[in-house]
Amino acid sequence: MNKKQSPRSSSVRVLEKGKSPSDAKQTKTTRGRKVSPDEFSKQVRAAAERVSNVPGMSRLTALSENTISSPVLLIGTQHVRIKRTIEWIKETLFSTNSSSFSSYFGTELTTESSLGHIRGALTNLSLFSTEQMIVLYDADLVKSSLAKQLASAVDSSRGSTLVILAGRAVNQKTPLLAQLAAQGTLVEFTELDLARLRKWIAKEVMRNVEPGIPGPTGIESEAVELLIESYGTDVSALAAEISKLALLTAAGKTISRKTVEQISHRAPETTSFSLVQEMARKNAARASALAANLLDQGLHPLQVSAFLNRAFRTLAVATDAPHAGPLAPELTNPWFAKNLGVPARSFSPADIKASLSLLARLDFQLKDSKLPDHLVLSNTVQRIALRAFGENRQ
């Protein structure tokens, strides 16, 4: 019978053979750690409380006590959320006279001489600051020839500087982030689920209300759903629309569904691209709802079918998958391909071939079948989203 694990056992590090406790302690401070955005926010908030409650407590020490070590890597394609997080950290921890803040961009670091300013900032504090926060945006674009030097400068700044690196991904093609991920804290921003997206929208609305300036008091739940219906999880587009809606809503009023319909509701063509994107994400329920919405907006099922056929033939060309018919000019339209926004890995060549087979069948059914058009369309959309091709996969 196994002994019951001590409540403290999860925090105890097992020493490797031949290592002393001091060695283990050093390993703990240099080993990378991955946390969710929500957990990271809780830890930063706890560190801020510690700084305010303990006279003389440094920010870096408070963060370390809450298992956040510099550098912090904020990774993901949802740039708005990353930017909001950086602004919040600055306001929460580095807004006093005893701290300083500076930011740089990886796209500007192209030569050794261009590293001068950021290396100087990392290794030398301002005369009037005891601690600082330095942000490097587009850190994934720093050249490999400069990554080692910059990583060394980041490492030397540990005692006095919170370094935040923002980028899209950490892999072999992002040498700076790959080197520093093993030392600091990695926070990955993935797409929000519906529940968290609704909360984010409500929070974003209130973010647009300036202190002392009257603004909207919130947003109707139906307006939230319409925004999600139009923009999905594209938080950058949502942030822009929410800012616009907040300006056009009278002070003391909530943002209504009617206002969203008049100002922000997307045109059918744009929603059609969203339909393909949700099918790519295997979100059958969302894809089916978008297909129904297109019909509600006045599109004929054959129009939706024709759009989907063009979309999957375009994907076939992009991935060298077999496609139906000769190569028409419309299949190499860069604007159309860009707006599809579907990663190449979302559909395999076999998936695309099977999808085109289903869409050919859909076209026939819409013209000759006695089944209701909306049901036939919904069934096809769901089967492609779920990759439930059955006999259509060869």
Side-chain angles (χ1 to χ4, degrees), residues 143-307:
K143 293 182 177 180
S144 58
S145 58
L146 306 176
K148 187 174 181 180
Q149 297 179 54
L150 190 50
S152 177
V154 170
D155 190 56
S156 67
S157 70
R158 286 182 178 278
S160 59
T161 305
L162 173 63
V163 179
I164 296 183
L165 307 168
R168 297 173 65 90
V170 179
N171 51 46
Q172 293 180 343
K173 296 181 180 180
T174 61
L176 177 64
L177 296 178
Q179 288 184 55
L180 294 175
Q183 302 174 18
T185 305
L186 174 64
V187 187
E188 187 173 6
F189 289 78
T190 56
E191 285 191 354
L192 297 169
D193 58 35
L194 281 179
R196 293 171 65 212
L197 183 60
R198 292 185 183 105
K199 291 180 180 178
W200 184 89
I201 290 173
K203 187 176 180 180
E204 188 69 13
V205 169
M206 300 316 299
R207 186 184 173 279
N208 281 271
V209 180
E210 296 290 337
I213 301 177
T217 58
I219 183 169
E220 294 178 358
S221 59
E222 290 185 353
V224 171
E225 297 307 316
L226 188 56
L227 281 172
I228 295 174
E229 181 180 291
S230 298
Y231 296 93
T233 57
D234 186 348
V235 291
S236 295
L238 283 167
E241 291 305 312
I242 290 169
S243 179
K244 188 191 307 179
L245 291 164
L247 288 172
L248 297 172
T249 300
K253 301 292 184 181
T254 57
I255 298 174
S256 66
R257 177 184 173 91
K258 183 177 181 181
T259 304
V260 175
E261 287 176 341
Q262 294 173 341
I263 304 300
S264 302
H265 199 202
R266 279 186 159 183
E269 182 179 53
T270 307
T271 308
S272 299
F273 287 117
S274 299
L275 170 59
V276 180
Q277 290 163 11
E278 294 302 330
M279 293 164 75
R281 296 186 183 108
K282 300 185 179 182
N283 192 339
R286 175 80 180 136
S288 181
L290 282 174
N293 179 258
L294 289 172
L295 301 185
D296 290 340
Q297 292 182 49
L299 267 67
H300 191 280
L302 283 171
Q303 289 177 284
V304 180
S305 175
F307 176 88

Side-chain angles (χ1 to χ4, degrees), residues 2 51 92 136 168 174 186 308 323 341 379 385 390:
N2 294 329
V51 169
T92 304
L136 177 59
R168 297 173 65 90
T174 61
L186 174 64
L308 290 175
H323 59 88
N379 178 60

Side-chain angles (χ1 to χ4, degrees), residues 85-107:
T85 299
I86 291 171
E87 292 171 351
W88 175 73
I89 296 170
K90 179 185 175 183
E91 294 170 2
T92 304
L93 277 174
F94 290 86
S95 60
T96 65
N97 293 332
S98 63
S99 65
S100 63
F101 172 86
S102 55
S103 60
Y104 302 86
F105 293 86
T107 50

Side-chain angles (χ1 to χ4, degrees), residues 123-144:
T123 55
N124 298 287
L125 278 173
S126 164
L127 291 175
F128 305 101
S129 305
T130 57
E131 293 178 292
Q132 63 180 345
M133 173 175 166
I134 293 180
V135 178
L136 177 59
Y137 294 97
D138 300 325
D140 51 327
L141 300 181
V142 174
K143 293 182 177 180
S144 58

